Amino acid sequence: MSDKLNIDRVMDAVPEKWLPHVLAEVNDYDVKVANVEGDFDEHVHADTDEFFLVLAGRLHLDLPGGTVTLDPLDVCTVPRGTPHRPRAEQGTRILMFEPRGTVNAGDGNEDKGTTGVRVA
């Protein structure tokens, strides 16, 4: 059996914004959390969908067809190949579920992004 983790305690220890932390692995997927605030670069993931769950705060996803606003406990999946630009209000915390190795800045931006920091 694995050690349990408290999401709030993990996120309280992370001062950086937009830096995902891998909480757990499920099959070939990472469960990531991040404290987010302000604007993130528009990007696209050609080969994978991107799942967002807002834990606290408010996240805006600018998509080609308009903006989707997520409040706490709202979820949204951005389909693969869809350009999107996340924007977050102060105090926003998100959980993402992505294939292991997915770079948060999208395809072709490996030098600008990260696959996530592993939580001890």
Side-chain angles (χ1 to χ4, degrees):
M1 186 158 135
S2 298
D3 293 334
K4 79 174 191 176
L5 293 172
N6 180 280
I7 293 173
D8 280 332
R9 286 191 193 122
V10 169
M11 297 182 85
D12 286 347
V14 178
E16 302 90 356
K17 305 296 185 221
W18 299 105
L19 178 62
H21 280 63
V22 179
L23 284 180
E25 296 176 356
V26 179
N27 297 316
D28 294 332
Y29 285 78
D30 287 332
V31 179
K32 302 176 183 179
V33 293
N35 290 308
V36 295
E37 184 177 314
D39 297 348
F40 195 72
D41 291 339
E42 181 177 272
H43 61 281
V44 65
H45 301 279
D47 297 324
T48 186
D49 299 337
E50 190 167 18
F51 172 85
F52 295 94
L53 163 65
V54 174
L55 301 170
R58 181 170 288 132
L59 179 71
H60 307 280
L61 297 171
D62 295 333
L63 304 166
T67 299
V68 175
T69 298
L70 303 175
D71 292 312
L73 303 182
D74 287 345
V75 300
C76 182
T77 300
V78 176
R80 70 188 74 206
T82 303
H84 56 287
R85 181 175 70 112
R87 297 180 290 115
E89 297 180 9
Q90 184 175 0
T92 301
R93 293 178 165 189
I94 60 174
L95 181 140
M96 297 160 289
F97 189 72
E98 302 173 320
R100 191 165 304 119
T102 300
V103 175
N104 67 336
D107 298 340
N109 290 305
E110 290 78 9
D111 59 330
K112 296 180 184 176
T114 180
T115 59
V117 176
R118 301 257 174 229
V119 174

